[in-house]
Amino acid sequence: MLSSPDLSFSRTLPIVVFNQLGELLEQMAQTVESATLVLTEAVLARICIPVEWQRQRFTLVVSEQFSALLLGNFEQGEQGSRGAEEQGIDSALNARLTFNLEAIASFLHELRDLFECDSYTHQNLERYRQIIGPNDATLQSKFSLLLLEYFLTQPNQEIIAPPSPTAPAVYICQPVEDALKKQVSQERLLNQVTTQIRKSLDLPVIMATAITQVREFLELDRLVIYKFEGSKVKTQQYQSSTDEDNGKRSTSISVNNQSLVEDYQQHGAYIVYEARATDAITCVLNYTEKNCFMRTSQCWEKYRQGFTLAVDDVEKTYALEECLLNFLRESQVRAKLAAPIILEDKLWGLLIAHQCNEPRQWIDSEKNLLIAIAEQLAIAIHQAELMQTLTQEKQTLEQRVIERTIGLRDALLAAEAANRLRSEFLATISHELLTPLTYVIGMSSTLLRWPLGELSQRQRDYLQTIHDSGEHLLEMINDILDLSQIEAGKTALNISEFSLVNVAENAVESLRKKATSEQINLNLDLQIDPRRDRFTADAERVAQILSNLLTNAIKFTPESGNVTLRLWVEDDTAIFQVEDTGIGIREEQLPLLFEKFQQLDTPYRRRYEGTGLGLALTKQLVELHRGRIEVESTISIGSIFTVWIPTQAMRVLS
């Protein structure tokens, strides 16, 4: 009963009676002439609240002339108002109705502190807390009459009509059977969406089909997908609608086909998919709110944590958010249910169900279905992003392959052009240099043997210099031509049987005069069985190999030094070894020894002539026989060059 000292009363009330008292307070608020605030627990739906607030229900009326607070707490062990109402349980609350100004102001203060300080709700609650004044006696009496009228009109007992013998019998388990049927249908719908995601990577088709089926199953006015900034997958055009002929209800599907909406970067999100029950319902495709959403960061944080927002009536939940409430009115939204689409721990967007013309109490099964569909859409989006990334990488790789192929082709063409120029240059050398050089050598030789008249010693020396220089130049040009022919693969071995001893002796004898003039001892060490003297290879090329090695050894051996050519046979391989007591080669320079035009950087570099082709050509000739060449050297002691040449088959190898 009403208590005068604090103008309040407390008692345990059934939830139905509690709700009816709340409706009486809302009716009373409509009769107050001054600005009146009416709030229920629905205002807390968007924010994180302590556990004690989760078990409360309230109706709050605040104005300058009339203020009242109806507060109810579920008894310990009760599961909560929404669950009790859904299951038809007659739950009870410890209810308190108070008109005490201090109690109302204290409740407003606690309620205000649940919201962020910079939110519209926090600011408006503080403003209304400041205007609370004593209740007008007339309005207080009017509410008392409404309360009295309510209790007097309640029937004492419920009249139950006797069952009619003609009425159809109702199966006692019908509610359970209906719930099971609905659950089976819901699971079937979820399986259809899951199957489509597994079979297809066409994201626009998957999303448009999914929201159409879910909208029809839940009998929603509108279902949309709200996409946040930073999402990778771009949406594409997809539209579908059914005919309205023969009185059928039409369904409109709209999909955003813009790669970039102007307000997207500035305002963070926009609607990319939409399914409507009828064309009469306002289309919100591509719509982005410009002013009101930026202050709802607390709600966005809840979404990131997997929170599902259920708003039964936007007029109650957003009563203090005038900007947002006007936006929802313009968009024709009266109730909404929003489930987050979370992709790799990031908030990709929201799947939002709208009831447009009247409030709707969302039940747990509807929430669970929307959450499950949002999770499946997240899988589809992840697949699409992976495919998009794979496609981009494939295109990048293909482009790199094309660029690399073009580069290799250009390099090949350049190499072919360079090779062609080299061939032309060598052909020019062959014709333009060899021919006159042959004349020079021939004429100088003829003059040296001229029988008519006497040549002075000075003239003879000049002719000899001309002849020797020509011979040297001829050898150098022939080396260049030979090396070029080998590298071009145009050199063929002239395989024949010959005597190894004769080749070795001829090589030594051809350089005997040169060695004597340099005061170098040139020796031949034959370690070969006479029965294995016959060998099959290119005799001319083998002689050229020995000549090059002996010439090189003589060149770098000081006076009174020794140069020795050794020869022996192991199995089917002839082994030639040239040892000298020359200047030697540093170990770090050995890898450069067989490179073309390479002259080692030694103090003797300027004392000895040469183009650096002799050893390079020798290595090429050895490898042309499928053989190998090795060198051992010690500074100031000398070097040993060893050549292995296997016997060749009696055919021409190219």
Side-chain angles (χ1 to χ4, degrees), residues 214-262:
V214 174
R215 192 211 62 76
E216 292 175 354
F217 181 82
L218 294 180
E219 298 179 352
L220 302 169
D221 290 335
R222 182 168 54 211
L223 184 64
V224 301
I225 293 179
Y226 192 66
K227 178 180 175 183
F228 287 98
E229 182 180 359
S231 306
K232 296 181 182 178
V233 177
K234 294 183 179 180
T235 55
Q236 303 175 11
Q237 185 173 5
Y238 185 92
Q239 295 182 343
S240 174
S241 61
T242 58
D243 201 353
E244 290 190 17
D245 295 342
N246 302 322
K248 294 181 179 179
R249 193 180 191 190
S250 69
T251 300
S252 298
I253 304 171
S254 302
V255 179
N256 181 354
N257 62 340
Q258 299 180 4
S259 61
L260 184 66
V261 175
E262 285 185 356

Side-chain angles (χ1 to χ4, degrees), residues 97-213:
L97 176 62
T98 181
F99 303 94
N100 184 277
L101 300 183
E102 294 182 359
I104 295 174
S106 177
F107 182 84
L108 269 173
H109 184 272
E110 294 177 4
L111 184 62
R112 181 204 64 181
D113 290 344
L114 296 177
F115 294 87
E116 294 180 338
C117 296
D118 60 344
S119 67
Y120 291 121
T121 303
H122 184 282
Q123 296 171 5
N124 286 329
L125 286 173
E126 177 60 25
R127 181 168 60 86
Y128 275 99
R129 193 173 73 89
Q130 300 296 333
I131 67 171
I132 296 177
N135 286 357
D136 182 81
T138 303
L139 293 176
Q140 185 74 50
S141 300
K142 189 174 183 179
F143 177 72
S144 299
L145 291 175
L146 281 174
L147 196 60
L148 208 59
E149 182 181 357
Y150 164 74
F151 283 113
L152 290 176
T153 55
Q154 295 299 311
N156 293 329
Q157 61 180 5
E158 186 177 353
I159 302 175
I160 304 176
S164 171
T166 59
V170 178
Y171 184 44
I172 191 170
C173 293
Q174 188 68 35
V176 177
E177 183 176 334
D178 292 342
L180 289 175
K181 286 181 178 179
K182 188 169 184 180
Q183 184 176 356
V184 170
S185 300
Q186 182 172 313
E187 292 177 354
R188 186 182 298 115
L189 172 61
L190 187 58
N191 287 334
Q192 290 176 357
V193 174
T194 304
T195 302
Q196 186 178 25
I197 291 174
R198 291 175 179 173
K199 290 183 177 180
S200 174
L201 292 174
D202 192 344
L203 185 61
V205 174
I206 292 174
M207 286 195 166
T209 304
I211 65 174
T212 302
Q213 293 174 340

